[in-house]
Amino acid sequence: MKPTPWTRSLLLVAALGLPTLSSGVADACGGCFAPSETNQVVTDHLMVMALHASESILWDQIRYSGRPQDFSWVLPVQGDATVELASGTFFDTLTQLTAPTVTAPALVCPGAGRGGLFASDALTSRFENSGSVQILSTAIVGPYQTVTLRSSDADALSTWLRANSYAIPASIEPVIRHYTDLRMDFIALRLRPGEGVQAMQPVRVRFSTPSPVLPLRMVSAGIADKVGISLFVFSEGRTEAMNFPNALVDRARVSWDYNTNSSNYAAMFRAAIAPSGGRAWVTEAALSAGSISGNFTRDAEAYADWGVAVRGLSRPWITRLRADLPASALDRDLQL
């Protein structure tokens, strides 16, 4: 798929055996903002993308702890986009079924064989058009109220968002300007009055055109020196990063330490991304979606999300990509 600008494992072996590595168990892509005086450090993001021939869908698991009125989430979009509620169980199940797990080999007597390594309702008229900022739509989506905005003036857009109680840190203004220069619209989301953070749910955003790009620049909001990102991609085959390095954990070097009752997978992950200065995306799993589909039927909401993700794909695959990106790597959007 050719993008447009928007579309545009174990050298130290356990004494009596080897571990088994398999696929099992391992937070918003939009900018998640809070006032500058709020101590907000985002350490992890969890997202899902589905790349279809006629549309693309982005799931974002929004996790936030703080005052409800301080929460803001902003996502740049191209073309018609719709915000819907998603299932947290959908995220949980994907994580459990695809994340690498290392299990200790069974202790056996010397001389025995060793184990192997395997691999919407309308809002009230609270929002008003203001000068060069145009309101394209408003909606109530579960505990959230959303507005879709258009403007060619980044300063005017930031001013409008702040005037309407969205926390926009000054440090993110250049990012907003980048997307306004690309003539992109913005979906802004916040909690409805009276809703607490315990009401927060993941959301999914459906785009009317194919868009194999993740807006990483917006992820820079609220992070410290680096951020971990787990990205699940549903598509017609295995997916890799196009404009970032790709890497794999050396499974032959993943080992189990009986003294600490743990594996060295995390260290091997760091070794995999080190040559790229931490910018690489590691493929942790790539499998046929059909091989795990039955696990989603136990929860109606998770199964609904599953249906959205695979609908229209003739032979859907799931690729789990993981990165631990330094802040300096959030200078471009991820093309898949």
Side-chain angles (χ1 to χ4, degrees):
M1 185 179 298
K2 183 179 180 180
T4 64
W6 172 238
T7 310
R8 272 201 16 174
S9 253
L10 311 177
L11 188 57
L12 180 62
V13 177
L16 297 175
L18 287 169
T20 298
L21 176 64
S22 60
S23 291
V25 182
D27 262 304
C29 177
C32 184
F33 309 137
S36 57
E37 66 272 13
T38 301
N39 182 19
Q40 181 197 27
V41 178
V42 179
T43 60
D44 222 29
H45 287 276
L46 189 59
M47 290 163 282
V48 180
M49 291 184 70
L51 307 179
H52 297 175
S54 59
E55 71 168 346
S56 56
I57 307 103
L58 171 66
W59 285 256
D60 206 344
Q61 186 177 62
I62 304 172
R63 287 178 175 170
Y64 167 79
S65 59
R67 300 194 309 167
Q69 63 269 32
D70 291 339
F71 167 74
S72 302
W73 182 90
V74 181
L75 178 71
V77 297
Q78 182 99 11
D80 295 335
T82 304
V83 182
E84 303 168 336
L85 285 184
S87 164
T89 304
F90 177 61
F91 282 88
D92 295 342
T93 305
L94 275 176
T95 298
Q96 293 166 3
L97 293 173
T98 65
T101 58
V102 182
T103 57
L107 289 174
V108 294
C109 296
R114 294 194 292 182
L117 175 66
F118 309 97
S120 76
D121 297 316
L123 280 174
T124 60
S125 58
R126 169 177 301 185
F127 300 128
E128 297 179 359
N129 289 304
S130 175
S132 58
V133 179
Q134 180 184 357
I135 297 173
L136 302 180
S137 64
T138 61
I140 296 295
V141 181
Y144 307 110
Q145 57 185 28
T146 75
V147 57
T148 303
L149 305 168
R150 175 176 294 166
S151 179
S152 60
D153 187 335
D155 293 334
L157 183 64
S158 296
T159 298
W160 188 98
L161 288 166
R162 292 191 180 106
N164 286 273
S165 302
Y166 287 90
I168 304 298
S171 61
I172 209 68
E173 289 179 355
V175 177
I176 292 176
R177 183 168 294 106
H178 167 78
Y179 291 115
T180 55
D181 289 346
L182 291 177
R183 301 186 180 279
M184 296 181 69
D185 300 328
F186 293 82
I187 293 176
L189 176 152
R190 69 185 184 209
L191 285 165
R192 298 166 59 190
E195 294 283 6
V197 296
Q198 72 279 357
M200 297 178 71
Q201 295 179 236
V203 297
R204 65 175 181 248
V205 184
R206 304 182 70 146
F207 302 89
S208 59
T209 56
S211 177
V213 174
L214 190 70
L216 280 183
R217 287 176 173 89
M218 294 300 287
V219 174
S220 63
I223 74 164
D225 59 331
K226 65 179 181 178
V227 61
I229 301 176
S230 291
L231 173 64
F232 304 89
V233 184
F234 287 77
S235 64
E236 292 286 3
R238 175 171 172 165
T239 304
E240 288 190 337
M242 180 182 295
N243 60 337
F244 281 80
N246 291 281
L248 292 170
V249 170
D250 185 354
R251 296 189 170 204
R253 297 180 62 195
V254 177
S255 63
W256 187 267
D257 187 337
Y258 283 107
N259 293 321
T260 62
N261 199 33
S262 64
S263 79
N264 67 339
Y265 181 84
M268 292 300 97
F269 181 95
R270 293 191 295 270
I273 65 176
S276 66
R279 299 177 66 93
W281 288 81
V282 175
T283 300
E284 292 193 313
L287 64 158
S288 167
S291 66
I292 62 172
S293 59
N295 294 273
F296 291 84
T297 61
R298 305 163 188 167
D299 181 274
E301 293 182 349
Y303 192 57
D305 276 296
W306 176 268
V308 171
V310 302
R311 187 177 300 127
L313 296 175
S314 59
R315 300 180 65 183
W317 273 64
I318 303 171
T319 304
R320 176 193 172 106
L321 300 171
R322 174 74 184 170
D324 196 16
L325 298 175
S328 60
L330 302 176
D331 58 350
R332 67 191 67 180
D333 293 335
L334 172 64
Q335 296 180 3
L336 297 170

